[in-house]
Amino acid sequence: PRGIVLDEDGIRIMQGVGLYRPLFDEVGKPMNFFRFIEGGRGLHVQPFIQFDYSTIEGGTGHPGFLAQKQPALEKHLQRAINNKYGELRSLSTVINIEEDANSVSATYLDNKGISHTVQGKFLVGADGKTGFVRKKYLEPKGILMENNPKFRYNATWVALNWHLTLPTPETHPDFPLWHLGYSPEAVYDLFFPIDFNFICDPARPSVCGRFGRTEDRLWRFEFVVKSDENGDQMATQEQAKKIIFPYLTHSGKDFGLSADVAWPEDCIEWIRSRPFSFSARSCTEWSLGRIVLAGDAAHVFPPFGGQGIVSGFRDAISLSWRLKVAINPACKNFENLLRGWYTERKQQLERSLASTVENGNFCNEPSRVKAFVRNWYLWAVQLVPAWKHNLQLGGRRDGMTRYTYTSGVPFLPQFDGGKSLPQVFSAPIDGPAPTIPSFTDDTIFAPQKAGVFQIVAILSSTDQLSAARAELKRIPKPDSIVGLDLEEATFLIHGLSASVAPETVALLGQKGDPDNIIRVVNGDEYTEAGLTEAAVASKFPRPPPKFYNPDRIREHLGHDKKYVIVRWDRMVFASCANAMELQTAIDLLEGCVNPDV
């Protein structure tokens, strides 16, 4: 089924390609709670546990998940393609791949059946789990997709999407809730709650919730197909109704009525209803020679954790800078570079799978006795506020992604590399927080910067700015394949308010780009910026800064760290306490990223 959620890493990656505002304006809206509820008691029953993804405490500066509409997301991604470097040729079918020591070519048929050939240094097969690149080219060469032993659950589910139309007193005058004061919106909220529900019914596990924007009126319902049932048959409207409609019928007694109250069937448009197979699989290797696999072509995720689309996004952002290095004639061993890529990515997939398995285990417990004991245990644990908050973190409980060092991965473990760089709200050093939220990534990885590795100076006050600039100026310009340029360094200053003293502004007159000097914005200033006349006029649905921590970067890296070298995929190469350590890390960079064969 098409994806309907995008996690905070995916939001951050889309922000990086200039799609932050369109995501919230046109693609979807932040999700609130993932509620795990008992089956057979309606969608408003008290959950035995819930994960709060409305907060901004995951480290990216974004809510945990966005309920998105995939066609809208794809539209904006296509518009974001830089025509100088890429061209989309839709409705094409690859029919042949040829490879030699220096290049690879692909032959394809266009939508008119005409054959064309394109050639490049590398070919990335992001053509899905049944695509040509893996199935027809790499599988005969021994690249196979295997089941993940940590996810043993295998079953067929049905996923269906509905488009809903609101009933009104004019269109449905006999609907019984009008005379009780219900508005059309209140009726919609009653039958289709704003939170996402995991229905943990041993007899029929199911998942349901809204997706897209509120005004899109889109709803997803998924349910398991039992071993003695046929998936295609269960996906028919006749059979699906029997499973779904009991959840869309309220007892009349709840409203003082003699008859039950059901959502009007003529307000439902069936967009899609299809069976699909749950599985967690990954290829043994994700590259061979000059052929690379990414997304569903390399790995397949069950949908319980909402990790399908974002896993492909993570593949892309971490592969992109490596391909820029690999096409450089100075690259000594591109195969080692690509091997390091999928070695890291497989570590992250295991982490994502753990979150997915947790959600699946709650939903798919077949024993009513075990489910009863589990529910009461979780209820008791949540009597302690700190434990309750920890449980409600859900997949964020273990913090941001951190890779374990192994040979060939491009970071320095001795300088605490291999961890994600958090992101916080930011503003110009001499101006207020902007109308549309701005983030530290926007400056660190600004489009005009050429280096795929960047330096960030983390400062506690403006008093440290002159010294930091002088220290970087004394470091010789590195000859690096990743394009590290000290003149592109970002200076991030903590503890400044919107009002900046004139002597602070005067610092901008020194040599260097003032656009690279930014300050951290706290939660209060972020909120106030959303209340200005300009912000209100923009109608941007600014997410509330719930549990936002403006000191997240320093806490994550260590308050003793002054300089950090960060990769384009937002992973730390090295974090350094002083200029001497930074110089050492720069000296080690080339041998780490581009070692001799």
Side-chain angles (χ1 to χ4, degrees), residues 9 94 187 259 270 277-279 334 365 414 429 451 496 529 551 569:
D9 282 348
V94 176
V187 170
W270 295 68
S277 297
F278 261 61
S279 61
F334 69 81
E365 174 54 60
Q414 65 269 40
I429 187 176
L496 286 183
D551 208 32
D569 54 0

Side-chain angles (χ1 to χ4, degrees), residues 318-490:
S318 55
L319 178 61
S320 60
W321 72 261
R322 288 172 166 93
L323 288 177
K324 184 174 182 180
V325 171
I327 63 175
N328 190 318
C331 181
K332 301 171 183 175
N333 188 347
F334 69 81
E335 291 179 327
N336 182 72
L337 188 68
L338 295 175
R339 192 178 304 112
W341 164 67
Y342 68 74
T343 297
E344 286 185 347
R345 289 293 301 119
K346 284 190 173 186
Q347 289 186 30
Q348 203 284 325
L349 283 180
E350 291 296 318
R351 173 190 172 93
S352 296
L353 184 61
S355 175
T356 299
V357 167
E358 180 181 38
N359 293 352
N361 286 343
F362 283 139
C363 200
N364 294 316
E365 174 54 60
S367 169
R368 292 189 181 276
V369 173
K370 290 182 179 180
F372 176 82
V373 173
R374 174 202 63 200
N375 296 355
W376 276 98
Y377 167 76
L378 289 171
W379 175 83
V381 167
Q382 292 176 83
L383 294 175
V384 180
W387 295 354
K388 179 178 181 179
H389 180 73
N390 187 60
L391 283 174
Q392 289 190 345
L393 288 173
R396 296 161 149 185
R397 202 173 301 127
D398 295 327
M400 302 184 77
T401 297
R402 179 164 189 165
Y403 296 136
T404 300
Y405 182 78
T406 185
S407 177
V409 295
F411 60 82
L412 299 178
Q414 65 269 40
F415 287 108
D416 209 19
K419 59 169 62 174
S420 299
L421 179 70
Q423 177 178 233
V424 295
F425 301 125
S426 67
I429 187 176
D430 59 344
T435 300
I436 304 300
S438 178
F439 301 85
T440 46
D441 278 5
D442 299 337
T443 301
I444 298 170
F445 304 104
Q448 69 271 19
K449 294 186 177 181
V452 294
F453 280 35
Q454 290 290 324
I455 292 176
V456 183
I458 302 169
L459 310 177
S460 299
S461 69
T462 54
D463 295 339
Q464 299 176 343
L465 180 59
S466 296
R469 297 174 98 175
E471 287 178 338
L472 293 185
K473 187 177 180 180
R474 286 194 291 269
I475 295 177
K477 183 176 181 179
D479 182 16
S480 169
I481 198 169
V482 299
L484 186 70
D485 186 347
L486 280 76
E487 293 188 2
E488 291 184 342
T490 299

Side-chain angles (χ1 to χ4, degrees), residues 127-445:
D127 50 347
K129 62 182 179 181
T130 60
F132 182 93
V133 178
R134 177 175 56 82
K135 296 292 289 185
K136 301 297 184 181
Y137 187 77
L138 289 181
E139 281 193 0
K141 298 176 181 291
I143 303 296
L144 303 176
M145 185 172 278
E146 298 178 340
N147 288 324
N148 190 309
K150 295 184 179 180
F151 190 86
R152 296 184 175 87
Y153 179 77
N154 286 289
T156 298
W157 282 54
V158 168
L160 60 88
N161 294 343
W162 283 355
H163 174 253
L164 301 161
T165 303
L166 296 190
T168 68
E170 293 73 30
T171 61
H172 296 76
D174 296 329
F175 189 72
L177 297 185
W178 303 138
H179 78 279
L180 296 179
Y182 277 79
S183 66
E185 284 288 347
V187 170
Y188 178 62
D189 291 341
L190 175 68
F191 283 89
F192 302 97
I194 61 173
D195 294 319
F196 221 79
N197 281 307
F198 290 76
I199 304 169
C200 307
D201 185 355
R204 179 84 71 180
S206 307
V207 182
C208 64
R210 304 178 187 181
F211 66 100
R213 302 170 302 168
T214 301
E215 57 266 35
D216 292 328
R217 311 294 182 194
L218 297 171
W219 196 63
R220 164 70 63 83
F221 195 99
E222 301 174 7
F223 61 88
V224 73
V225 176
K226 297 179 181 179
S227 59
D228 59 346
E229 295 173 336
N230 177 274
D232 291 321
Q233 184 180 13
M234 296 304 296
T236 63
Q237 291 189 25
E238 179 184 2
Q239 294 299 322
K241 284 180 183 179
K242 297 177 182 178
I243 296 166
I244 301 170
F245 277 35
Y247 289 102
L248 302 180
T249 303
H250 292 270
S251 172
K253 296 178 181 179
D254 295 341
F255 307 96
L257 302 173
S258 58
D260 292 342
V261 183
W263 179 265
E265 284 194 47
D266 62 346
C267 291
I268 300 171
E269 177 190 356
W270 295 68
I271 299 175
R272 185 185 183 100
S273 181
R274 293 183 183 178
F276 66 96
S277 297
F278 261 61
S279 61
R281 296 181 293 156
S282 176
C283 285
T284 50
E285 296 177 300
W286 296 10
S287 68
L288 183 66
R290 294 183 175 274
I291 311 295
V292 185
L293 295 173
D296 285 354
H299 46 77
V300 178
F301 258 90
F304 278 130
Q307 293 296 307
I309 292 177
V310 74
S311 291
F313 285 178
R314 292 188 188 109
D315 290 349
I317 193 172
S318 55
L319 178 61
S320 60
W321 72 261
R322 288 172 166 93
L323 288 177
K324 184 174 182 180
V325 171
I327 63 175
N328 190 318
C331 181
K332 301 171 183 175
N333 188 347
F334 69 81
E335 291 179 327
N336 182 72
L337 188 68
L338 295 175
R339 192 178 304 112
W341 164 67
Y342 68 74
T343 297
E344 286 185 347
R345 289 293 301 119
K346 284 190 173 186
Q347 289 186 30
Q348 203 284 325
L349 283 180
E350 291 296 318
R351 173 190 172 93
S352 296
L353 184 61
S355 175
T356 299
V357 167
E358 180 181 38
N359 293 352
N361 286 343
F362 283 139
C363 200
N364 294 316
E365 174 54 60
S367 169
R368 292 189 181 276
V369 173
K370 290 182 179 180
F372 176 82
V373 173
R374 174 202 63 200
N375 296 355
W376 276 98
Y377 167 76
L378 289 171
W379 175 83
V381 167
Q382 292 176 83
L383 294 175
V384 180
W387 295 354
K388 179 178 181 179
H389 180 73
N390 187 60
L391 283 174
Q392 289 190 345
L393 288 173
R396 296 161 149 185
R397 202 173 301 127
D398 295 327
M400 302 184 77
T401 297
R402 179 164 189 165
Y403 296 136
T404 300
Y405 182 78
T406 185
S407 177
V409 295
F411 60 82
L412 299 178
Q414 65 269 40
F415 287 108
D416 209 19
K419 59 169 62 174
S420 299
L421 179 70
Q423 177 178 233
V424 295
F425 301 125
S426 67
I429 187 176
D430 59 344
T435 300
I436 304 300
S438 178
F439 301 85
T440 46
D441 278 5
D442 299 337
T443 301
I444 298 170
F445 304 104

